[in-house]
């Protein structure tokens, strides 16, 4: 999705950088074996961000039926 959104360098950043940043944030803060343990409310907020943001992005790009599922 990111590769189809931007132009030039922004296209590469969206296609590779955004998923990489989300994976790093999840690995550091959200995974069950992470070194940094968040409070339950912060962990739920992180889960909503990590798992909800792709749905919002799909909906924003016009893929409404995929965004709902």
């Amino acid at each position: 999705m990111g590769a189809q959104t931007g132009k030039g360098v922004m296209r590469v950043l969206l296609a590779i950088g955004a998923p990489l940043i989300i994976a790093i944030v999840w690995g550091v803060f959200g995974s069950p074996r992470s070194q940094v343990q968040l409070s339950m409310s912060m962990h739920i907020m992180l889960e909503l961000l990590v798992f909800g943001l792709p749905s919002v992005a799909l909906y924003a790009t016009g893929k409404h039926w995929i965004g709902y599922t």
Side-chain angles (χ1 to χ4, degrees), residues 1 3 6 12 14 21 27 38 41 53 56-59 61 65-66 68:
M1 208 166 51
V12 174
L14 287 171
I21 289 171
L38 298 176
S41 60
L53 197 58
V56 172
L58 283 167
Y59 187 84
T61 58
W65 63 277
I66 298 173
Y68 286 133

Side-chain angles (χ1 to χ4, degrees), residues 9-30:
V9 175
M10 187 56 107
R11 191 175 198 166
V12 174
L13 288 175
L14 287 171
I16 297 171
L20 184 61
I21 289 171
I22 294 294
I24 290 170
V25 167
W26 180 256
V28 172
F29 297 107

Side-chain angles (χ1 to χ4, degrees), residues 41-63:
S41 60
M42 290 300 291
H43 196 297
I44 290 171
M45 288 174 53
L46 179 65
E47 284 185 1
L48 287 173
L49 177 75
V50 168
F51 299 116
L53 197 58
S55 292
V56 172
L58 283 167
Y59 187 84
T61 58
K63 310 247 190 296

